[in-house]
Amino acid sequence: MTETTSAPAVAADGTAPQAIRAWLVDRVAYYLERNPADVDEGTQLAEMGLDSVYALTLCGDVEDRFGLVVEPTLAWDHPTIDAITAHLAAALGGAQEGVPQ
């Protein structure tokens, strides 16, 4: 039996942009103690009140969930849920096609 350490930690359908976005909305809502329906995917995370501690926590959660290594500046480099979704979808698509990260 061969182990693979580079495979994403979610099922293939969990890497679709809509699944990534839904997961991010849930995580941000949890951090901000809000209902997910009250989280606007196009609003900057800092404007919604996401502080640096939660931004770093989000990075760890992303790494655990998707099996990717992300920069600790993820929430500043991609300041909205929509931007993070696009970034992760591209990275996961590249990982699935064998493109180095």
Side-chain angles (χ1 to χ4, degrees):
M1 181 172 180
T2 304
E3 282 187 41
T4 58
T5 57
S6 62
V10 295
D13 63 331
T15 61
Q18 60 271 25
I20 296 168
R21 181 176 288 107
W23 181 83
L24 286 168
V25 167
D26 285 344
R27 293 310 305 153
V28 170
Y30 174 77
Y31 299 146
L32 299 177
E33 299 180 358
R34 295 184 186 177
N35 185 316
D38 296 332
V39 174
D40 179 3
E41 295 95 343
T43 298
Q44 292 200 4
L45 297 170
E47 287 180 21
M48 284 192 276
L50 193 76
D51 64 21
S52 59
V53 171
Y54 283 129
L56 286 173
T57 303
L58 180 62
C59 292
D61 289 348
V62 165
E63 290 178 346
D64 291 345
R65 174 74 177 175
F66 299 104
L68 294 173
V69 175
V70 296
E71 294 295 323
T73 57
L74 176 72
W76 281 263
D77 296 339
H78 310 281
T80 66
I81 290 174
D82 285 340
I84 295 173
T85 298
H87 174 71
L88 295 177
L92 289 166
Q96 290 171 350
E97 295 170 10
V99 176
Q101 300 300 307

